[in-house]
């Protein structure tokens, strides 16, 4: 993969990730708890890790439930919006990138209530870019 190709892969993934972020922020900001509009951004199976747990979601139903739980938690936190900070997109090859981003989350009054750094492994599948793994990084 040449430098130009890497740049093209990164730009394509970046544009896709911006659409994902906008979709997620709008959905969560509306107070919705149904995750159907997010499913097209994820691959199944999906691996997720935090300092507390490792999950492998092997069905669409499991993914839907996990995303729904996240949306419920945000609604309960009076979520208003998020901002993607310090975003880095790095092509690994023609079909995969790492996207590392800090999510700053704000409540409806505009106060930040959470800041989390997440590393996403994203693959270009037959259906387009999809998150295949996500890891919440230690603070």
């Amino acid at each position: 993969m040449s430098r130009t190709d890497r740049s093209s892969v990164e730009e394509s993934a970046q544009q896709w990730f911006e659409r994902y972020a906008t979709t997620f922020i709008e959905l969560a900001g509306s107070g919705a708890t149904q995750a159907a509009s997010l499913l097209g951004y994820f691959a199944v199976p999906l691996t997720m890790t935090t300092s507390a747990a490792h999950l492998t979601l092997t069905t669409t139903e499991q993914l839907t439930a996990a995303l729904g739980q996240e949306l419920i938690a945000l609604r309960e936190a009076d979520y208003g919006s998020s901002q993607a900070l310090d975003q880095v997109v790095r092509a690994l090859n023609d079909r995969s990138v790492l996207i590392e981003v800090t999510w700053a989350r704000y409540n409806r009054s505009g106060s930040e209530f959470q800041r989390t750094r997440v590393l996403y492994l994203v693959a270009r599948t037959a259906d387009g870019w999809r998150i295949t793994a996500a890891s919440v990084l230690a603070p």
Side-chain angles (χ1 to χ4, degrees):
M1 177 170 60
S2 73
R3 185 161 191 64
T4 303
D5 293 336
R6 186 172 36 241
S7 177
S8 174
V9 169
E10 290 169 354
E11 182 178 330
S12 173
Q14 170 73 36
Q15 291 172 355
W16 170 86
F17 191 77
E18 288 172 5
R19 288 190 300 275
Y20 162 69
T22 297
T23 301
F24 184 91
I25 291 166
E26 288 175 356
L27 183 65
S30 75
T33 60
Q34 299 300 317
S37 63
L38 297 174
L39 294 178
Y41 292 98
F42 294 88
V44 174
L46 173 74
T47 299
M48 300 174 68
T49 59
T50 68
S51 292
H54 170 255
L55 298 171
T56 301
L57 307 175
T58 59
T59 67
T60 301
E61 292 77 18
Q62 290 174 331
L63 175 60
T64 301
L67 291 170
Q69 289 172 357
E70 176 76 7
L71 292 169
I72 289 168
L74 290 173
R75 184 178 65 189
E76 290 173 356
D78 196 32
Y79 176 88
S81 67
S82 293
Q83 197 173 13
L85 309 173
D86 307 326
Q87 189 170 324
V88 177
V89 178
R90 185 168 70 96
L92 302 175
N93 56 45
D94 288 343
R95 295 183 114 3
S96 65
V97 298
L98 287 176
I99 300 176
E100 189 172 342
V101 62
T102 299
W103 290 107
R105 291 181 170 169
Y106 304 91
N107 62 25
R108 292 194 182 280
S109 64
S111 297
E112 184 176 316
F113 69 88
Q114 184 183 53
R115 191 170 283 220
T116 306
R117 188 99 177 137
V118 181
L119 178 67
Y120 300 93
L121 177 60
V122 180
R124 186 178 358 217
T125 70
D127 296 320
W129 291 107
R130 298 293 185 268
I131 297 169
T132 61
S135 184
V136 177
L137 304 180

